[in-house]
Amino acid sequence: MTKKKAFVPLVLDVAVPVGSYYLFKDGLGMSTFAALGWSSVVPALRTGWSVVRDRAVNGLAALILFVNVVGLLLSFVSGDARLMLVKDSGISSAIGIGILVSVVLGRPMMTAFMKPQLVKGEEAREAAWERLERGSEDFRRAERVFSVVWGVVLLGECVVRIVGAYTLPVDTMVWLGTVIMIVAMVGGFLVSGVLAVRPMAAMLAAEVCGKGAGGEECSSAAASAAPLVAVAE
């Protein structure tokens, strides 16, 4: 699998629907309801196609579709400034719940975001990933932990913003909501890096080297893992 192909699902399942939402809403002047509706077309088609072709649900596409449906329902909430602030938190909670449910179902959704960064589109790393996923409980546990951390972070962010919306002045929460989101994202990267990315990068590099990879491939795997480990530290 090449690097280009590794990122195709992310582009189709996340970048296209999210980007089209802002294009429809801010670029073409559509209402929030219309923009959410039209941006749901791609994830709806991707989800339906995956069910027909693979008899399985495309997790990322289904999550984005779910988030858009929640957004459509919440778009009817209007009039109260505090309710409008809470509406923004509904998206984070929907994503967080979707991620945690995927872990319970044994298909950690955030793997789709992490795997391309670790595998780098190289066959040796792709094969090493598959071997570890089949044979290493530690690797699978770290994979689940990565998704759990992000699910908890997003739900936690939602709770904090809802509490703030009803306990702080509206003018304060308008800017503080963004600060809370940034802090949550930074915290998510740091915690998931230490608990999941760092050990998985190390196991992946060791697996590539341990299967008789040449010096160049082994050095490449170690070099690719180093920046991720450094970030986690």
Side-chain angles (χ1 to χ4, degrees), residues 9-159:
L10 296 183
V11 172
L12 292 176
D13 298 335
V14 180
V16 170
V18 173
S20 63
Y21 166 75
Y22 287 106
L23 173 63
F24 293 139
K25 185 174 185 293
D26 299 330
L28 301 180
M30 289 185 178
S31 67
T32 299
F33 188 87
L36 283 169
W38 282 107
S39 65
S40 301
V41 172
V42 171
L45 291 175
R46 289 272 290 170
T47 301
W49 174 246
S50 68
V51 171
V52 172
R53 184 189 62 184
D54 304 324
R55 296 184 180 179
V57 175
N58 182 315
L60 279 175
L63 176 60
I64 295 298
L65 181 60
F66 173 62
V67 169
N68 282 359
V69 170
V70 171
L72 286 168
L73 295 175
L74 291 176
S75 66
F76 291 106
V77 177
S78 61
D80 188 330
R82 295 188 185 277
L83 280 178
M84 294 302 290
L85 291 173
V86 170
K87 186 172 77 171
D88 293 336
S89 302
I91 304 301
S92 295
S93 65
I95 296 174
I97 291 170
I99 291 172
L100 293 176
V101 169
S102 74
V103 175
V104 173
L105 295 177
R107 301 184 64 181
M109 197 171 293
M110 290 298 290
T111 296
F113 291 87
M114 173 179 53
K115 184 177 178 180
Q117 303 298 324
L118 291 175
V119 172
K120 299 294 183 182
E122 296 187 9
E123 292 184 3
R125 294 194 190 99
E126 179 76 31
W129 179 288
E130 297 301 327
R131 289 194 299 271
L132 286 168
E133 201 161 50
R134 288 195 304 269
S136 173
E137 177 57 32
D138 289 339
F139 189 83
R140 292 192 297 270
R141 184 183 301 110
E143 185 181 1
R144 293 192 298 269
V145 167
F146 185 81
S147 285
V148 168
V149 167
W150 279 104
V152 171
V153 164
L154 291 171
L155 279 178
E157 180 218 357
C158 173
V159 171

